[in-house]
Amino acid sequence: MAVTTAQLPQPRALAALLVLVLITLGGAAEAQPPLGTCGAQLSQLAPCARYSVPPLPGQALPAPGPECCSALGSVSRDCACGAIDIINSLPAKCGLPRVSCQ
């Protein structure tokens, strides 16, 4: 099941998800995940990389291009939510305080 616009994660959660994807892309050349897996879905988010970095103060975040939107639309809800849950659990596993963006 593909993610609809109403089901997309919040921008901060998406940014964290994209940072994780970029980190995992570093090892993507060594071992490609089977097509259809969450890892394969996330590895297709490279066109969204420039939209995952907060802009400088006073600047607006640019609107994502069609390539990013298409890639994001192909990530299943379960995959997106699972990746966000993993990202949210990392600080505690590293002995760091929980990150609160609000």
Side-chain angles (χ1 to χ4, degrees), residues 6 10 15 22 40 42 49 51 55 59 67 73:
Q10 295 297 318
L22 294 175
L42 295 177
Y51 309 107
Q59 293 184 344
E67 299 86 8

Side-chain angles (χ1 to χ4, degrees), residues 25-91:
L25 284 177
E30 297 172 11
Q32 288 290 333
L35 292 177
T37 66
C38 185
Q41 292 174 35
L42 295 177
S43 70
Q44 299 305 308
L45 291 176
C48 298
R50 69 177 288 218
Y51 309 107
S52 67
V53 178
L56 295 174
Q59 293 184 344
L61 185 65
E67 299 86 8
C68 172
C69 293
S70 176
L72 185 59
S74 68
V75 177
S76 73
R77 180 185 183 282
D78 290 342
C79 178
C81 291
I84 291 168
D85 287 344
I86 291 170
I87 291 168
N88 287 335
S89 72
L90 288 176

Side-chain angles (χ1 to χ4, degrees), residues 20-31:
L20 177 65
V21 169
L22 294 175
I23 292 169
T24 59
L25 284 177
E30 297 172 11

